[in-house]
Every structure is written in C-alpha cells, then in structure tokens.
Amino acid sequence: MSHLFASTRIGRMQLPNRAIMAPMTRTRASRDGIQTPLAATYYTQRAGAGLIITEAIAVSRQGHGYPMIPGLWTNAQQESWVPVFDAVHKAGGRIAAQLFHTGRSGHSSVFGELVAPSPIAIRTGEARDVNFQSVPFETPRELTTQEIPGIARDFGLAARRAIDAGADAVEIHAANSYLIDEFLRSATNRRTDVYGQDRTRFLREVVEAVTKEIGADRTGVRFSPMSPWNDMSDENPLETYRRAAEAIRGVAFMHLVEAGGAATITPALSQAFGGPVIVNGGYDFAHAEAALVAGAAAVAFGVPYLANPDLLERFRRNAPLNTPDPGSFYGGSERGYTDYPALELVA
Ligand SMILES: Cc1cc2nc3c(=O)[nH]c(=O)nc-3n(C[C@H](O)[C@H](O)[C@H](O)COP(=O)(O)O)c2cc1C
C-alpha cells in the first residue's frame, strides 16, 4: 500500500495525503510586494497536495531584498493574499505561508539596505538588482545587538497577517542562506555578542514571536543543514542543527532540505526534534515512499510540483511528468506558471 496517499495530522492540519508542494519563489509579484491574481490560479491548480507551502514572503521592507517577491508587512500586501488562500480552500486544499528575511542574499537597490549577522559578502554567483540584472553581491552591514529583537517581532507580525489573510499555517524560512540561516551557520555568524555565543538565539526569538501570535500548532520551520548554495557552510552541521532542532521542539513540523548530503543527518535531527518531519530535495515517487517508511511524516516536491499541477494523480497512475522549463522559473506571467498541462490535456 502506498504511504504517500495516506492521510496524516500535522499540528492543527489534517492532510489527506503526504505530498507537500515545496516553497518556490516565482518573482511575479509587483515591485511593492503585492501578490497577483494569477497566483490564485497557480496555487489552486496544485491544491491536490496534502499541503502547499507558498513562495518565500518578506516580513519587512528591510527583508525584501529580491525584486518582485511578495511581502507581508502592509495591509495591501495582506489583502492581496486573501483571494489566493480563499481559492485554495475552495478547491479543497491547505496552504502555509513561508516567511523570510533575505539578509545578505538580496541587493540594496531593491529596498535600500543589506544587513546580516556579520559583514561578509557572498563570494560565488551574482545578486539580482531591482531591474533583474545580474550584479556582484554587496557586503552587508552587521546588525547591532539592539536591533535584532525587532526583526524577530517582524516575523511575528507577518505571521499574524498571514493567518488573518486566511493561511492555515506559517513556515519560518530558516534555510537556503537567508537571514535566520546566516545566524545559524558558522561561516556567516562571526559575532561575539549573545547572538554569536549562541547561534540559535535569533531562531528561538523568531519562533517565540511567531508562536505567540499564531500558536505552535500552526508554525513550522525549514532548515537546509548542508546546502552550500550562496556560499554557506558550517564547521559542524550535525551539532549546529541538532541544537536548532532542539530549539524548535513543540512546533508543528520541521522541514529539512537534504541538499549537500544532509540526508545522512536527517535521522539524528528528527530524533532531536521529536515531531513530524518533512523531507525534501530530489525526491521521486519511489524515494518518497522509502522516506515515509523510514519515518518521515511527509515529502515535499519542488520542481516536480512546479511543472505538474496534478503531480499526485500522475504518481497514482504512474504517468509521465511534464518537462520543467527553468527559463520561466523566475519572472514573467502565465508561461511556465499556470500553463503546465494537467494529464487530461496531454494528448
Ligand atoms: C524556482 C525555485 C524557487 C525556489 N524558491 C524557494 C523558496 O522561496 N523558499 C525555499 O525554501 N526554497 C525554495 N526553493 C527550493 C525548493 O523548495 C526545493 O528545496 C528544491 O527545489 C529541491 O526540491 P526538488 O528536488 O523537489 O525540486 C526553490 C526552488 C526552485 C526550483
């Protein structure tokens, strides 16, 4: 019997299946972070997932370092999500809002200031400026000890806005080189204050701020313990993330991106967390089944869900998958967004 099609409970949510749509930035919002009506179509097409996790949404103007990503710090931004969450619910789905602060990974032309735990620039790859042009990464300003608790509060306020707009839950984005991840890993946190002596402290403050607003049973956290993307590394990922997993005990789920070989430490981190774990990174149906047998609560699919609105139905029928078009992952409109065909439209 298939495990992916079995229902499960995660926090306050009852999921009809264990296939999660992974969070994916599509950079199709307005310049001031307003979600477009087309997003309602895109997410509704994928409402068959056990849970959709939205693209990353910036919690503040300061954390809005990528062009054309959505935000959740103004009333207009909040209202732009209402039809999206509503449409997903009407289609029978569940949806969690992923919240982040871009930290050193953004570009100052988008919002005015680049901040991070330590003034260390990314040395590989390029940033995108406000006009979507590739430009060198800049050196971020080191945050003062005093201003950090205010950023944690921004996460709490954005979580409140997400729930008020109709989201079922919130995922705190502590992965993939953004601000929380920059505090966690040793390569990017060289601070000597309390936020450097305990690299999980900022994460804990964010989790406290969010759970105080919306409850631990509607809060999840995403980590990418060994992903090297954007020049990230850590002296001892197992120890760092064991502490991080312990720090978030009691939230509804922990979501692990297993890039960079992190699947090897998934069992230890799952044990440290003690709650439902979602795994992600390169999974197909067979590998997902194996992960569920091994103890994962659910499996998240990124590119497969991007290119296949009816991914679960295709798994069920063992049908071929659409070919993803990386050229339309970021920016643009319908093409490569809402026009991937469902099975019944494939000749
Ligand atoms: C176009 C694109 C955008 C992404 N944006 C995000 C994001 O906003 N937040 C996030 O946590 N991960 C993001 N990711 C990473 C995915 O969630 C996922 O971890 C990755 O695609 C690996 O899973 P997969 O092999 O199933 O695609 C993105 C990936 C892609 C392809």
Side-chain angles (χ1 to χ4, degrees):
M1 200 204 110
S2 161
H3 296 270
L4 200 61
F5 296 100
S7 73
T8 190
R9 191 162 193 87
I10 292 190
R12 212 181 278 198
M13 296 174 291
Q14 187 65 35
L15 314 190
N17 62 69
R18 297 167 191 241
I20 313 285
M21 177 178 169
M24 281 176 287
T25 293
R26 306 303 310 273
T27 41
R28 284 163 164 87
S30 75
R31 275 184 193 271
D32 46 356
I34 309 281
Q35 188 54 285
T36 62
L38 203 54
T41 306
Y42 166 68
Y43 285 117
T44 303
Q45 289 172 339
R46 289 153 180 81
L51 173 68
I52 292 169
I53 303 176
T54 68
E55 64 210 278
I57 309 172
V59 297
S60 64
R61 192 177 144 69
Q62 184 194 59
H64 191 255
Y66 278 171
M68 319 297 266
I69 60 165
L72 254 178
W73 71 91
T74 70
N75 290 342
Q77 291 166 347
Q78 180 178 332
E79 277 154 28
S80 72
W81 279 100
V82 173
V84 178
F85 297 147
D86 200 37
V88 168
H89 289 149
K90 287 210 171 86
R94 292 136 302 280
I95 182 161
Q98 191 189 53
L99 300 181
F100 82 152
H101 180 302
T102 47
R104 72 170 185 164
S105 300
H107 191 263
S108 63
S109 63
V110 181
F111 62 108
E113 205 192 9
L114 202 69
V115 296
S118 301
I120 305 168
I122 299 173
R123 288 160 307 184
T124 53
E126 286 170 315
R128 290 292 184 99
D129 73 3
V130 69
N131 297 316
F132 251 94
Q133 300 303 308
S134 295
V135 288
F137 279 110
E138 302 160 303
T139 303
R141 175 178 70 79
E142 180 175 331
L143 286 162
T144 66
T145 309
Q146 290 70 30
E147 68 190 312
I148 296 169
I151 302 177
R153 275 196 297 279
D154 289 339
F155 274 86
L157 295 175
R160 166 50 51 202
R161 286 187 182 276
I163 296 296
D164 286 352
D168 297 287
V170 157
E171 178 174 271
I172 297 168
H173 191 355
N176 296 357
S177 88
Y178 301 108
L179 189 66
I180 304 175
D181 198 19
E182 290 162 13
F183 272 93
L184 286 174
R185 294 205 238 182
S186 57
T188 40
N189 184 345
R190 304 276 173 80
R191 301 177 71 91
T192 54
D193 68 355
V194 286
Y195 292 97
Q197 288 153 16
D198 174 4
R199 285 188 269 117
T200 61
R201 184 181 172 118
F202 178 57
L203 168 71
R204 275 206 320 277
E205 289 183 0
V206 170
V207 170
E208 269 164 36
V210 170
T211 55
K212 206 171 118 212
E213 281 292 337
I214 67 166
D217 59 354
R218 288 197 286 203
T219 303
V221 180
R222 187 175 221 215
F223 297 128
S224 56
M226 288 159 83
S227 170
W229 189 66
N230 268 353
D231 210 13
M232 294 299 287
S233 65
D234 189 83
E235 285 159 4
N236 190 338
L238 176 59
E239 267 323 294
T240 296
Y241 285 90
R242 206 202 299 269
R243 276 199 288 274
E246 282 168 358
I248 64 161
R249 268 177 166 268
V251 302
F253 64 88
M254 178 171 73
H255 187 173
L256 297 177
V257 182
E258 293 173 323
T264 52
I265 62 170
T266 292
L269 302 186
S270 303
Q271 202 184 7
F273 174 58
V277 175
I278 301 170
V279 293
N280 166 253
Y283 279 92
D284 58 14
F285 181 62
H287 289 109
E289 287 291 316
L292 294 167
V293 170
V299 178
F301 301 91
V303 174
Y305 247 123
L306 185 156
N308 298 276
D310 54 348
L311 182 67
L312 262 185
E313 196 47 35
R314 287 169 190 257
F315 284 157
R316 199 191 303 273
R317 296 195 212 169
N318 198 20
L321 302 185
N322 292 324
T323 304
D325 168 34
S328 54
F329 280 5
Y330 301 103
S333 63
E334 290 93 345
R335 199 179 66 78
Y337 191 46
T338 52
D339 67 352
Y340 282 105
L343 265 183
E344 62 265 26
L345 298 176
V346 178

